[in-house]
Amino acid sequence: MTTLSLLRPDDWHLHVRDGASLASVIGFTAARFGRAIIMPNLKPPVTTTDLAAAYRQRILSALPAGSRFQPLMTLYLTNSTDPAEVDRAADSGFVHGFKLYPAGATTHSDAGVTDLNRIDAVLERMSERGMVLQVHGEVTDAHVDIFDREARFIDQVLVPLSQMYPKLRIVFEHITTRQAVEFVRSARAGIAATITPQHLLLNRTALFAGGIRPHLYCLPVLKTEPDRVALVEAAISGDPRFFLGTDSAPHARHTKEAACGCAGIFSAHAAIELYAEVFDAAGALDRLEGFASHFGADFYQLPRNTDRITLVREPWTVPGHYPFGTHEIVPFRAGKTVAWRIA
Ligand code: DOR
Ligand code: ZN
């Protein structure tokens, strides 16, 4: 048995939903992470600092007694986001970024931005105020193959965007391709990326292993084995531009096991444990702390956590499901083992 002590990690990309669903899932994240960037794709979306303040209070109220977990809020950009909202957000102290969903790219993204020119003044103000832009990096044209949408987004959107706003700090969220890794490595200062556990652990073949696997469907969709290998190399490299963001995205079982299933993988129940598996398999456990606990905080210009967590290499079996409001969720690795557990 091996134990591993880590400075408490943070999750720089997390969906926790709202209401009874929120109450069902937040404890998993709070047991592991000090902070998390809370994605704003509620229905209706969290578009203003006032809405984020209220959502933040609902999250704090849903935390287990005694938890010191801190939700870090981000606002959902729309075509009509007011540049003055950037100042309200920056002055709030609890909003740490704005999320760009190209309209139609994923779950609850229909209110997203249809044309970046529409938010030029907002992006200018974000650059001036040092607000982080978090990007869902996929083009949405129906004729672009789903496996090419991220790579196409780099050329069509991200390269021009990063040149047009040379001071804008950008997180390329949940990267899935070798091209995204190369883009971040060669990008100007102020550009980083989050990487999920599923994109480090699985390739697209897993989606069809023995039949279609709706609980492994997320967006961006899993990619090829060479893409996965490139992501692992980036994560374990010690390069501070790559850091942890689970994109844990719970959906009730019946909405995934359906003729048209929702995108999203719930991993909050074993998030840091799954990353430990990846780093362990690559012989790079000594690099996990940088990826999980240092680089994200540094990029967001927040202090690192000061307390620690302990992981133990001791397999446990993930339950087949967890409660999710009045429904249930099927977690990542349901019914199978995870090699590490949290002490
Ligand atoms: O798989 C995903 N699920 N990708 C996203 O971008 C959104 C997320 C969700 O909110 O369910
Ligand atoms: Zn997400």
Side-chain angles (χ1 to χ4, degrees):
M1 187 171 89
T2 309
T3 69
L4 179 66
S5 165
L6 293 179
L7 201 64
R8 185 175 293 281
D10 301 301
D11 184 349
W12 300 97
H13 186 130
L14 177 69
H15 300 266
V16 293
R17 315 307 185 199
D18 209 347
S21 305
L22 162 64
S24 300
V25 297
I26 192 66
F28 292 108
T29 294
R32 291 163 176 79
F33 297 99
R35 298 163 289 196
I37 292 272
I38 306 295
M39 286 294 140
N41 61 334
L42 302 182
K43 232 169 165 116
V46 181
T47 50
T48 66
T49 307
D50 285 348
L51 286 169
Y55 186 29
R56 179 172 174 273
Q57 281 309 321
R58 296 197 296 279
I59 296 167
L60 291 172
S61 305
L63 284 171
S67 174
R68 294 170 58 194
F69 174 78
Q70 289 176 47
L72 310 176
M73 310 312 288
T74 178
L75 304 187
Y76 186 115
L77 284 168
T78 72
N79 286 343
S80 50
T81 299
D82 181 354
E85 197 61 52
V86 176
D87 291 302
R88 285 190 282 274
D91 294 340
S92 75
F94 56 80
V95 178
H96 296 270
F98 283 74
K99 178 75 188 278
L100 173 65
Y101 287 103
T106 187
T107 310
H108 299 167
S109 64
D110 28 296
V113 175
T114 56
D115 178 359
L116 278 180
N117 295 323
R118 305 279 293 265
I119 58 165
D120 176 62
V122 174
L123 295 172
E124 274 303 341
R125 196 70 192 131
M126 287 176 64
S127 308
E128 287 158 11
R129 295 298 310 257
M131 265 279 155
V132 171
L133 177 70
Q134 299 134 345
V135 179
H136 183 110
E138 289 190 287
V139 297
T140 54
D141 320 41
H143 59 272
V144 177
D145 190 282
I146 190 166
F147 294 104
D148 297 334
R149 288 181 184 177
E150 183 177 280
R152 199 66 76 79
F153 186 88
I154 297 169
D155 301 329
Q156 274 182 23
V157 183
L158 217 39
V159 168
L161 180 76
S162 60
Q163 289 167 354
M164 205 171 335
Y165 307 94
K167 295 241 163 64
L168 184 60
R169 291 157 65 229
I170 301 173
V171 179
F172 191 178
E173 298 291 343
H174 43 54
I175 59 168
T176 63
T177 57
R178 178 181 51 78
Q179 290 95 324
V181 169
E182 283 167 8
F183 167 76
V184 172
R185 283 213 178 105
S186 60
R188 63 157 171 81
I191 294 183
T194 53
I195 311 181
T196 77
Q198 64 264 25
H199 294 104
L200 292 168
L201 286 161
L202 300 175
N203 63 44
R204 65 194 191 183
T205 300
L207 273 168
F208 308 103
I212 195 151
R213 302 284 178 173
H215 298 290
L216 298 181
Y217 173 55
C218 63
L219 287 171
V221 72
L222 297 171
K223 299 297 192 306
T224 68
E225 180 62 10
D227 290 308
R228 188 193 71 80
V229 169
L231 295 171
V232 171
E233 283 169 5
I236 67 169
S237 67
D239 183 332
R241 292 173 293 188
F242 299 100
F243 50 81
L244 186 157
T246 63
D247 199 16
S248 178
H251 289 274
R253 161 180 242 160
H254 68 281
T255 66
K256 287 190 68 70
E257 296 175 6
C260 185
C262 294
I265 295 178
F266 178 72
S267 62
H269 64 296
I272 189 65
E273 300 90 322
L274 292 165
Y275 287 106
E277 273 191 13
V278 172
F279 279 68
D280 194 8
L285 277 177
D286 59 321
R287 301 273 172 84
L288 179 59
E289 190 172 56
F291 176 82
S293 317
H294 297 169
F295 304 152
D298 298 351
F299 186 86
Y300 276 89
Q301 300 172 350
L302 292 168
R304 295 176 183 176
N305 294 319
T306 50
D307 61 328
R308 305 187 73 81
I309 63 164
T310 301
L311 293 171
V312 185
R313 193 198 276 119
E314 192 178 72
W316 57 285
T317 303
V318 175
H321 54 84
Y322 289 111
F324 187 56
T326 55
H327 300 285
E328 57 187 41
I329 27 176
V330 177
F332 192 63
R333 287 273 175 85
K336 303 205 183 91
T337 60
V338 170
W340 289 79
R341 68 171 179 81
I342 190 150

